[in-house]
Amino acid sequence: LILALAASPLAACEAPYGLDYKTIGQSLAVSIGIESPPGITIEQAGQVPYSSLGYRLGDSAEQMLVLGTASDNANLWTSAERRALSTKAGRITKTAGFKWNLSETYWPAPDPLSEGAAASSRSTLRLLDFGDVKRFGARLHGQFDSARESEITILGTSIPTISLSEICHCEDFDWDFQNQFWLDRQSGFVWRSVQY
């Protein structure tokens, strides 16, 4: 609270020597959780002549990835920062260039997420490889909750979606987390997700 109050008067001023106290105040406010970090604007997205997606790591500012290749419902997204994500039906299946990377995802049975809203109340099992830490075949169990209708906004456009939460547990790492997916009500396309 003290930091927030200290940032308020600074946000109204601009100092000499190129110091922009408004930006400093906003950065301070973001770092202590008062505001959301800035996102990709519609103008920035419109300047990219390729399919793109925005991603955010934790509380960091949103970054952009562009579609490198697409085949058999699998997409490879890359960035100038030498980061890459591979996705299938909206689920991240591989990563590169991050602090912790997912080397591969294996499915003993098809991922229910690829069935859209029909994934509601279904369970999942996937095997994960983490080459950076030499752990392979980690078993991850998931359970989707009941689907809920919701609306999200992306680049100023309101989209009617089905929201699905997936409660996950990985015994190998004693790791519990929850993924969230927002799917198009008609096509099942994943418009937004929070994935760990």
Side-chain angles (χ1 to χ4, degrees):
L1 182 58
I2 292 170
L3 290 175
L5 293 174
S8 297
L10 294 177
C13 306
E14 187 166 321
Y17 314 112
L19 293 175
D20 180 356
Y21 288 118
K22 182 177 181 184
T23 303
I24 293 169
Q26 288 172 341
S27 297
L28 180 60
V30 167
S31 70
I32 59 176
I34 296 170
E35 302 177 8
S36 297
I40 302 294
T41 66
I42 194 165
E43 291 80 17
Q44 291 170 314
Q47 292 174 358
V48 178
Y50 307 102
S51 295
S52 60
L53 64 81
Y55 76 95
R56 185 184 315 261
L57 297 174
D59 294 333
S60 68
E62 189 174 18
Q63 302 292 315
M64 190 180 298
L65 295 168
V66 295
L67 184 61
T69 61
S71 63
D72 190 32
N73 201 26
N75 299 317
L76 175 64
W77 306 88
T78 63
S79 75
E81 293 82 25
R82 297 185 179 199
R83 289 184 170 165
L85 294 177
S86 182
T87 62
K88 188 165 186 172
R91 187 185 296 277
I92 297 170
T93 58
K94 295 181 192 179
T95 66
F98 296 91
K99 183 175 180 181
W100 308 104
N101 288 293
L102 174 59
S103 304
E104 189 63 71
T105 301
Y106 304 97
W107 295 94
D111 182 3
L113 187 61
S114 64
E115 299 173 20
S120 180
S121 302
R122 301 260 313 272
S123 61
T124 64
L125 170 64
R126 56 190 187 271
L127 306 175
L128 308 176
D129 289 350
F130 298 93
D132 294 344
V133 293
K134 310 277 189 278
R135 297 291 297 266
F136 303 96
R139 297 172 62 87
L140 189 125
H141 296 273
Q143 179 68 47
F144 283 105
D145 67 358
S146 298
R148 296 176 305 282
E149 290 190 359
S150 65
E151 294 229 352
I152 60 171
T153 302
I154 298 178
L155 298 176
T157 302
S158 182
I159 302 169
T161 65
I162 298 293
S163 173
L164 285 173
S165 294
E166 180 188 30
I167 308 300
C168 299
H169 175 72
C170 180
E171 281 185 30
D172 299 58
F173 294 108
D174 192 24
W175 185 25
D176 295 295
F177 58 93
Q178 180 174 318
N179 290 330
Q180 187 77 30
F181 300 92
W182 289 266
L183 292 75
D184 189 273
R185 290 184 194 170
Q186 302 299 318
S187 67
F189 177 82
V190 176
W191 282 107
R192 177 177 287 162
S193 67
V194 175
Q195 300 184 54
Y196 291 84

